[in-house]
Amino acid sequence: MSRSDSGESDLPQNAHHVGSEAELERGESILAEVDGIEIAVYHTEDGYFAISNFCVHQGGPLCEGPVTGTLGQDDDGKLCYEEGTQVVRCPWHGWEFDVETGEHLSRPEYSQPTYDVLVRDGEVYVRW
Ligand code: FES
């Protein structure tokens, strides 16, 4: 993710407008279509992130899945709930992906494609 408020004039040619910061409050997501490709754009505590909406398993619509934390292990090996990692769960079969990296939680070889997000003057763009 990148962020700059220096104006639209320095936008790269491959930046596509997907919404405004007002439409995409922290904790929210929007579905964008860029050149026929569906991209899910998320606003997390750490910024804006974009991943393919087409689940790498069988094409489920990720943007329709819940975004939550996930289970992890503490220093003693006990299961604990990690709120810091934002995970989207595919609504079709439950595969879980890190919203910020697109990685499948246990099988990184099945990660989702990710895209850079830019913010200029309150508007959100995905680089494609
Ligand atoms: S299509 Fe997403 S988990 Fe199966």
Side-chain angles (χ1 to χ4, degrees):
M1 186 207 64
S2 301
R3 181 185 171 100
S4 170
D5 291 318
S6 60
E8 196 168 308
S9 61
D10 66 340
L11 278 173
Q13 285 190 330
N14 64 351
H16 298 270
H17 184 254
V18 296
S20 68
E21 286 187 293
E23 295 172 292
L24 193 53
E25 294 182 4
R26 190 168 290 149
E28 299 290 323
S29 63
I30 57 173
L31 176 63
E33 186 173 324
V34 177
D35 293 340
I37 303 298
E38 290 186 353
I39 298 173
V41 184
Y42 297 90
H43 187 182
T44 75
E45 292 292 324
D46 297 323
Y48 295 90
F49 300 90
I51 62 176
S52 171
N53 188 50
F54 187 81
C55 178
V56 294
H57 180 220
Q58 291 182 354
L62 284 186
C63 68
E64 295 179 16
V67 177
T68 65
T70 188
L71 285 177
Q73 289 185 326
D74 64 17
D75 292 339
D76 298 326
K78 294 180 183 172
L79 288 178
C80 62
Y81 188 73
E82 296 178 352
E83 292 186 33
T85 302
Q86 296 292 289
V87 173
V88 60
R89 184 179 317 117
C90 180
W92 283 9
H93 310 102
W95 284 26
E96 295 179 318
F97 303 91
D98 186 317
V99 164
E100 298 183 5
T101 65
E103 281 192 8
H104 185 280
L105 289 194
S106 60
R107 301 171 74 182
E109 67 271 25
Y110 291 115
S111 296
Q112 292 292 122
T114 61
Y115 308 93
D116 288 336
V117 179
L118 305 171
V119 178
R120 297 284 194 279
D121 298 327
E123 301 299 321
V124 181
Y125 301 84
V126 169
R127 293 182 71 178
W128 166 255

